[in-house]
Amino acid sequence: MSTANNERYRDEVAELIAHYVVNVSEKLSAATERSVKSALIDSIAVSVAALRHPAAQAARRHAYRFPAGNEGCLIWGTQKRVAPDHAALANGVLLRCHDYNDFFVGGRNSGHPSDMVNGVIAAAEWANVSGKKLLVAIAVGYEMVAAAFDAFSTAPGGWDYTNLTALGATCAIAKVLDLDIDQTREALAMTVVPHMSTDEIESGDLNKRGDLTMWKRFNGSDAVRNALQACMLASVGVEGAVRPFVGNFGFIKKLANKDDPIPVLRARLDPSLPLSRITETFMKRWPVGSVAQSAIQAALQARSQVKDLSSIKQVRVFAEEGAYDHLVKIRQDPWHPISRETADHSLPYIAAAAVLDGYIQIDSFSPGIVLDPVRQRFLKDKVTVVPAPELGTIAGGKHKRAEAGYLSRIEIELNDGAVVHGEAKPFPGHPKNPFSDADLDGKLRENVEPVAGPSHTAKLAAMLRAIEQIGSVRELTALLAFGADIDGAPEIE
């Protein structure tokens, strides 16, 4: 082929990313290593908490049909093994069941990079690589997601963020499998062209039970499963589209972005730069969306000053405009939630639950609790929510609101006229208020001990803290084979 034709059929983006993955330094700074371990601990805590979720049970019923031998990958919470792509799907679903995993806000997009973690673990388990290699792979994956979130916006074309998370998963898994530049390029091509997810998944439409679609729980893990399959196909010589990103019908054209993403990608994906972007990740202390975290913190602070709940006259929530828009304005009837998902997407309910209970946990959104007549009456009669532009405006942009911490403040007025306050502050897990080791260990214990018990949870925590020392990721997954009855009566939605 002539030089002119070579240039004509080049895909600069695919080449740039593949070159980066293969050539970036695998040395992790202390801060980056801690952040990768934090992502692992957080992801496993969130996953174990969701083992009995209906979406998780449905994913396992599917995976159980394709058993594999000892070389297969564990279905978490069980003793059963399946092929790595089935494990990536079944285990990955757990991350999105309760809206409890981390998120990242980039220059042009945001989403949940930890969607990839369980699928990368499946690849690492199948390839029987070390804990240190797993840490590096996850760091590379987060670097790619951060770059993609800076370079691309999925909004103009109506696409879902998982199309960008899939790029990170492909890069991480390519690192696990030691793909070369050509193989990584082909894996990227087989990730972006065959699998594009639309943002209809975030429409807010409810099904006949009053829930958001179950597929929202699968969307991230399906993207990661596809990335794993693409890497495995590339490793045996399968080739993708010639110009998957820059072609006439390629990824960039489908996104319908006006700005050229290549300069941003070139700047972010410089192999001479250290792996660091995972340190910018936001985590969640409570199992609701990111924009409600500050409101919960404020509600708990105000509630701690109330001695008698019967003395409450009114709970007033003042939310930055983005939080108000996402959890009040666009919701069908946020003062009358009828299910888990209508409750955990209702700022009035979230604030009411925090005030009434003094905590927010997964069971805060169980239908029996949500539909309690006393709680429903408290919500209807005593809770108000208004937008507070002084805390953040939509016009000011998502970045300013995210950097501030998606702020909300709360006032509780008592029957005697006294008013107690919950301040508008960055929430635990925000980069301005990062998780301590105690926060991470607390989240792990809170979610794993009810399933695995204190002793087993302590062993898991110790291994995660020293994951770089294990010779095989299979040592980690062995600790995720529980004996609990997770396929019995499902968690009620």
Side-chain angles (χ1 to χ4, degrees):
M1 185 178 291
S2 69
T3 301
N5 277 339
N6 271 332
E7 288 300 311
R8 177 184 176 187
Y9 292 116
R10 282 187 62 207
D11 191 309
E12 182 179 354
V13 173
E15 291 174 9
L16 188 161
I17 297 172
H19 181 267
Y20 174 80
V21 171
V22 172
N23 289 287
V24 67
S25 171
E26 298 186 0
K27 184 177 180 180
L28 303 182
S29 69
T32 296
E33 182 175 293
R34 183 190 183 280
S35 292
V36 181
K37 290 181 180 180
S38 296
L40 275 170
I41 293 168
D42 191 75
S43 296
I44 288 173
V46 167
S47 297
V48 175
L51 285 171
R52 294 182 65 243
H53 190 282
Q57 292 194 350
R60 288 196 298 273
R61 285 196 297 271
H62 170 66
Y64 289 160
R65 299 182 296 184
F66 308 100
N70 291 333
E71 298 304 309
C73 298
L74 185 77
I75 299 178
W76 294 4
T78 77
Q79 303 286 335
K80 299 181 180 180
R81 293 186 173 276
V82 293
D85 54 335
H86 289 299
L89 183 70
N91 297 336
V93 166
L94 300 168
L95 286 161
R96 297 297 299 138
C97 285
H98 294 131
D99 212 353
Y100 206 2
N101 61 326
D102 70 13
F103 64 104
F104 191 100
V105 180
R108 305 190 68 197
N109 222 89
S110 60
H112 307 279
S114 59
D115 285 359
M116 79 176 79
V117 168
N118 296 1
V120 177
I121 292 174
E125 181 182 15
W126 181 76
N128 199 25
V129 302
S130 69
K132 183 177 181 180
K133 194 173 187 74
L134 174 64
L135 291 178
V136 170
I138 292 173
V140 169
Y142 271 69
E143 207 79 20
M144 181 65 243
V145 171
F149 284 179
D150 285 346
F152 300 114
S153 173
T154 55
W159 302 106
D160 189 58
Y161 80 90
T162 54
N163 296 291
L164 305 183
T165 309
L167 296 177
T170 302
C171 292
I173 295 167
K175 202 71 178 174
V176 166
L177 301 182
D178 287 324
L179 300 190
D180 62 25
I181 289 178
D182 290 339
Q183 291 169 328
T184 302
R185 182 227 175 272
E186 300 304 335
L188 288 162
M190 287 183 279
T191 297
V192 300
V193 171
H195 310 289
M196 289 197 76
S197 172
T198 81
D199 207 31
E200 184 61 25
I201 203 68
E202 293 287 354
S203 67
D205 293 343
L206 304 180
N207 63 22
K208 61 186 178 183
R209 294 191 311 275
D211 292 330
L212 298 171
T213 172
M214 185 185 282
W215 187 252
K216 184 175 179 179
R217 311 308 171 203
F218 280 78
N219 213 32
S221 62
D222 182 61
V224 177
R225 182 264 305 270
N226 292 331
L228 174 55
Q229 175 181 264
C231 287
M232 297 185 78
L233 289 171
S235 73
V236 295
V238 181
E239 299 173 344
V242 174
R243 295 194 299 159
F245 288 93
V246 304
N248 292 332
F249 303 101
F251 188 74
I252 293 174
K253 288 287 180 68
K254 291 300 180 183
L255 289 181
N257 290 182
K258 294 181 180 179
D259 298 331
D260 183 2
I262 295 177
V264 177
L265 291 172
R266 193 181 295 121
R268 301 295 187 273
L269 300 177
D270 179 347
S272 68
L273 297 175
L275 295 164
S276 66
R277 300 296 299 281
I278 193 171
T279 64
E280 302 169 29
T281 303
F282 293 45
M283 289 188 174
K284 299 178 184 177
R285 186 63 190 90
W286 299 288
V288 297
S290 54
V291 296
Q293 299 286 312
S294 178
I296 295 171
Q297 178 175 247
L300 295 176
Q301 182 188 16
R303 197 258 196 196
S304 70
Q305 304 168 64
V306 178
K307 295 180 179 179
D308 180 3
L309 295 181
S310 67
S311 70
I312 294 176
K313 180 180 180 180
Q314 192 174 52
V315 176
R316 298 189 286 265
V317 183
F318 301 86
E320 59 92 3
E321 288 183 344
Y324 180 84
D325 185 74
H326 186 63
L327 295 176
V328 181
K329 186 177 179 179
I330 70 170
R331 300 301 160 185
Q332 290 188 16
D333 193 354
W335 271 268
H336 296 89
I338 58 174
S339 64
R340 173 182 292 277
E341 291 184 328
T342 54
D344 70 16
H345 284 71
S346 159
L347 190 54
Y349 178 86
I350 292 166
V355 170
L356 289 173
D357 299 332
Y359 63 82
I360 290 290
Q361 296 176 354
I362 289 168
D363 64 4
S364 300
F365 306 102
S366 297
I369 293 175
V370 171
L371 297 173
D372 175 67
V374 174
R375 182 164 300 220
Q376 289 270 336
R377 190 161 53 251
F378 181 92
L379 175 61
K380 177 178 179 291
D381 295 343
K382 297 191 176 185
V383 180
T384 65
V385 185
V386 296
E390 70 276 11
L391 298 179
T393 65
I394 292 175
K398 187 172 185 177
H399 293 97
K400 288 185 177 179
R401 294 187 289 111
E403 288 171 8
Y406 299 121
L407 297 176
S408 292
R409 65 180 180 87
I410 283 182
E411 296 176 353
I412 299 179
E413 182 179 355
L414 306 179
N415 291 328
D416 64 5
V419 178
V420 297
H421 299 269
E423 298 175 77
K425 297 188 299 184
F427 53 86
H430 187 277
K432 291 181 179 178
N433 185 16
F435 273 0
S436 65
D437 288 349
D439 290 327
L440 282 165
D441 289 343
K443 187 170 178 179
L444 189 73
R445 287 195 308 272
E446 184 179 303
N447 291 293
V448 178
E449 281 189 0
V451 180
S455 177
H456 195 97
T457 302
K459 290 179 182 178
L460 179 60
M463 179 170 287
L464 288 166
R465 288 291 179 199
I467 190 73
E468 75 281 4
Q469 298 177 21
I470 67 172
S472 170
V473 170
R474 287 177 173 264
E475 296 176 50
L476 170 62
T477 55
L479 291 180
L480 297 174
F482 307 134
D485 180 18
I486 59 171
D487 290 316
E491 173 190 301
I492 299 174
E493 279 295 279

